[in-house]
Amino acid sequence: MSETMTALPGIETATAGVHQLSMQQALNRALDEILAGNPKTVIFGEDCGRLGGVFRITDGLQAKHGEERVFDTPLAESGILGMSVGLAMAGFHPIPEVQFDGFAYPAINQIVCQIARMNYRSRGTLPMPITLRVPSFGGIRAPEHHGESLESLFAHVPGLKVVSPSTPHDAYHLLKYAATRPDPVIFMEPKSRYWQKGPVDLANALPGKSPHDGDPSSGGSLTGARVAREGRHLTLVAWGAMVARCLQVAELAAEDGIDVEVLDLRWLKPIDAEALATSVGKTRRAVVVHEAPLTSGLGAEVAQLITQSCFATLKAPVERVTGFDVPYPSGDLEDEYIPNIDRILFGIQRVLEYRRG
Amino acid sequence: MTTKSVLAAVDDDAAPLTHHQLRELYTLMAAVRHLDTSAVAWQRQGIIPGYAPELGQEAAQVGSGYAVDRTRDFVFPTYREMGVARAMGLDMVGYMSTHKATWHGGMYNPLESRFAPIQAVVAGSVLHAVGWAHGQTLAGHAAGEIGVAMTYFGDGASSQGDVHEAMNFAAVMKAPVVFFIQNNGWAISVPTERQVAGGSVAARAAGYGIPSLQVDGNDVVAVFEATRSAFAHCRAGNGPVVIEAMTYRRGPHSTADDPGRYRTLDEERLDAGDDPLERFKQRLLTEGVADEAFFAEAQRLAEAEEEAVRAGIADLGPRPGAEMFSLVFQEPTPALQSQATAWRKESEHV
Ligand SMILES: Cc1ncc(C[n+]2csc(CCOP(=O)(O)OP(=O)(O)O)c2C)c(N)n1
């Protein structure tokens, strides 16, 4: 992803060192530093002030930074997102929250028709540096509308960027990065991963590996995909909550001598097409895994990008292992809906056993 | 009709308008009337593809727009606020470029003009005004210095959920925002009585604890004074105000509309009330503020202005196609850049 503009007012450098943090703690810490580093940032939404959010992502921020910087709004998603537009026009950097993915729908008009278009409509004079935090995806046995996979919907909208971290480390750095961008970013937090701990290197954003980086050990770039596991036989492409599951699958496949590479896409718009080309160019087989329904899902976009760059060398058509074209089911059926280990293994098998003609 | 306050009227001890200001208001209304009727003619002549006329709403638009302080306030219009734009001194070629289909939102600079991009989604920008206004509070301007947001919308738009969210937000946050409703009697074909429950839009403000005024929207001075006191109320840190200007949209909703399908010309004549321009002219004559020579001069200026705007519009070529790609993001995506490259190659080829 090219950066033609300089970053917005910077966020302070974190204390060095690797910490074991949950994604909730990593996000909370990132927001704290964003607020400290840029006086124009404001955080608001339902219950994110005194309560610290239903997932506690904004815990303690109001007490520390004041009620003007972190505040509760009335319970109205269109209001929250519409207000973000005006605040951005007034020079602020809003970091609004919708409490759960399913409640982004009441705000779709403001997100799609207003936030996404204002830079264009105003010929670049009214940028929308808005980071919309959306607790996303299923896996927590929540009631209806508390677990949805909206990435294709957002990624399809011109003027929006979409990112989803899969680890505490990426959650911390990607949020800090997103909050300095001059364009609207939908930040999809995998809520089933909020309480999982992992190493967070606070000072070094890029300890991961990028397939298109000259020196893989030097780390990739926060603007693209990340190789979560290197492998030779096949690439699993995933993002958000599905990355951890794909890593599990890779371990199981390794027992059968199948060496799986896991590519964590991270950015769902723009998609790191180069990383896809490099990884699948090497493994020559790919399976895309996502929770969202199959039809018109992001898996189709990924498959097309791979086909375009790797058609000549692909050993099998790109496979998809996804949710189904049904409303996100309730808790008891969730395990049937979200791609599980077996379904992903079947997907791998289909690709490995594919024979031409 | 007379100005009626639904809740306690807000007030300040502002001076009455000077003769100079009264004449200025008339000059503006004459310019707006002429540009507006001309724009309809331009559409018939094929100079522009479409336009949303405001015939009969000149007093509501000029009176309110005249109260805006461009050094600190910000206006959030719909698609029908040409008169507000003109009263605020916008570049009218830039404004009309939207109707020429040159660019969504207009070619003027919203930051300099303090006039947000033209908005086609009804009530789309009402919440933006609240956000901008809350930004003034957060920025910590001293009471009395603070910028005020004014958002325009119609009686039809008042049915949108966003208006209710906006009024509630503004009241809870005490945001310095003026909700300026032009109740022109119609939302395309639907009359206000089939649109607005609760008696009036102004009456709803009571539910949010927002002071509101219903004002005679055909009386430019009454509109100006109501807007001026609403601004004073907001600037003093008292939170939002709702103004409902009662007016009438004569003629079609847009150049694509046929009002004959929902009302007769006789009904229109009966319901429309006084022509705001003619009424103001009689007042200025009666009070000796202006004479016939002044009105003739105002008309001459309006015609010269219209000619200049028409020429400016005619000169506006299409925008270079590359802008379609380059203005989506501040930081373009690689996919968008490669689409732009492909477009350039393929369109240059043809
Ligand atoms: C959200 C939305 N729905 C429908 C329309 C189509 N539409 C355009 S103008 C209009 C009527 C608006 O009436 P009102 O708000 O009273 O304003 P007026 O045009 O009378 O000034 C409608 C239905 C629209 N632009 N936006």
Side-chain angles (χ1 to χ4, degrees), chain B residues 155-219:
Chain B
D155 45 311
S158 81
S159 300
Q160 288 273 320
D162 273 5
V163 168
H164 301 273
E165 295 192 14
M167 286 187 182
N168 189 50
F169 270 55
V172 166
M173 296 171 156
K174 278 190 132 189
V177 53
V178 176
F179 296 92
F180 192 95
I181 297 103
Q182 283 170 89
N183 186 338
N184 64 11
W186 296 87
I188 309 188
S189 66
V190 179
T192 303
E193 60 270 22
R194 302 289 306 158
Q195 185 75 249
V196 179
S200 71
V201 185
R204 288 180 186 161
Y208 302 106
I210 303 178
S212 71
L213 299 160
Q214 241 186 9
V215 63
D216 180 347
N218 298 326
D219 177 346

Side-chain angles (χ1 to χ4, degrees), chain A residues 78-79 110 119 161 181 183, chain B residues 119 128 162 165 330-331:
Chain A
S78 193
Q110 286 295 336
N119 187 72
K161 293 177 181 173
R181 302 335 300 159
D183 292 311
Chain B
Q119 174 68 250
H128 307 173
D162 273 5
E165 295 192 14
Q330 295 280 324
E331 296 176 338

Side-chain angles (χ1 to χ4, degrees), chain A:
Chain A
M1 181 174 154
S2 67
E3 280 150 46
T4 53
M5 295 273 297
T6 45
L8 295 168
I11 37 191
E12 61 179 12
T13 333
T15 3
V18 178
H19 301 245
Q20 283 293 321
L21 299 177
S22 68
M23 188 181 280
Q24 176 267 337
Q25 290 169 321
L27 289 166
N28 180 255
R29 182 163 185 150
L31 290 173
D32 184 17
E33 289 170 18
I34 292 163
L35 285 166
N38 178 358
K40 286 293 185 187
T41 48
V42 276
I43 292 175
F44 49 91
E46 294 156 14
D47 306 296
C48 62
R50 204 189 302 183
L51 179 67
V54 293
F55 292 109
R56 305 291 184 273
I57 307 302
T58 53
D59 197 20
L61 297 180
Q62 184 179 68
K64 183 164 170 189
H65 298 278
E67 291 183 16
E68 299 213 321
R69 308 281 311 279
V70 183
F71 52 91
D72 292 318
T73 64
L75 206 168
E77 289 72 21
S78 193
I80 293 166
L81 275 303
M83 174 170 177
S84 303
V85 174
L87 280 166
M89 286 175 68
F92 288 85
H93 294 189
I95 310 183
E97 174 185 288
V98 297
Q99 205 159 62
F100 289 88
D101 32 32
F103 308 123
Y105 291 119
I108 284 293
N109 166 43
Q110 286 295 336
I111 297 170
V112 174
C113 300
Q114 307 301 335
I115 291 176
R117 287 170 184 245
M118 196 56 91
N119 187 72
Y120 192 74
R121 187 182 287 152
S122 69
R123 303 180 52 75
T125 54
L126 300 174
M128 293 283 113
I130 296 169
T131 307
L132 169 58
R133 291 185 36 252
V134 188
S136 292
F137 317 117
I140 62 164
R141 292 190 144 51
E144 190 177 12
H145 307 305
H146 292 69
E148 303 264 314
S149 211
L150 304 182
E151 62 270 38
S152 307
L153 198 144
F154 290 132
H156 190 63
V157 177
L160 297 180
K161 293 177 181 173
V162 187
V163 67
S164 185
S166 70
T167 65
H169 176 87
D170 275 356
Y172 172 82
H173 288 289
L174 285 170
L175 184 55
K176 287 182 68 170
Y177 178 76
T180 58
R181 302 335 300 159
D183 292 311
V185 177
I186 312 290
F187 194 85
M188 299 179 70
E189 298 170 1
K191 57 176 96 81
S192 65
R193 308 293 301 169
Y194 272 148
W195 312 108
Q196 300 292 322
K197 286 202 170 187
V200 179
D201 189 339
L202 294 172
N204 177 15
L206 311 168
K209 293 174 183 177
S210 162
H212 55 80
D213 201 76
D215 172 13
S217 63
S218 75
S221 124
L222 269 185
T223 60
R226 171 184 76 98
V227 175
R229 181 190 200 277
E230 282 187 283
R232 288 173 296 130
H233 296 146
L234 172 135
T235 302
L236 280 180
V237 184
W239 50 88
M242 283 296 100
V243 174
R245 183 154 297 172
C246 287
L247 286 169
Q248 271 181 299
V249 168
E251 290 305 317
L252 290 169
E255 292 173 13
D256 293 331
I258 303 161
D259 192 12
V260 172
E261 176 145 312
V262 178
L263 187 69
D264 177 358
L265 213 48
R266 302 202 292 191
W267 286 90
L268 310 176
K269 174 142 172 217
I271 289 181
D272 188 345
E274 231 178 301
L276 285 170
T278 311
S279 176
V280 183
K282 178 181 71 175
T283 62
R284 304 172 72 179
R285 294 180 177 92
V287 178
V288 197
V289 181
H290 63 63
E291 290 185 33
L294 177 79
T295 302
S296 298
L298 216 57
E301 181 71 26
V302 171
Q304 161 59 11
L305 289 171
I306 293 171
T307 307
Q308 210 172 355
S309 56
C310 306
F311 181 69
T313 53
L314 272 182
K315 292 204 163 171
V318 179
E319 270 293 332
R320 290 183 284 170
V321 179
T322 71
F324 304 109
D325 290 1
V326 303
Y328 221 101
S330 55
D332 277 358
L333 285 172
E334 215 175 38
D335 291 342
E336 306 299 323
Y337 173 87
I338 300 174
N340 57 25
I341 287 174
D342 285 347
R343 285 177 55 211
I344 299 171
L345 283 170
F346 276 124
I348 290 177
Q349 199 178 356
R350 287 197 297 276
V351 166
L352 289 175
E353 292 176 355
Y354 178 81
R355 294 283 173 271
R356 272 170 217 274

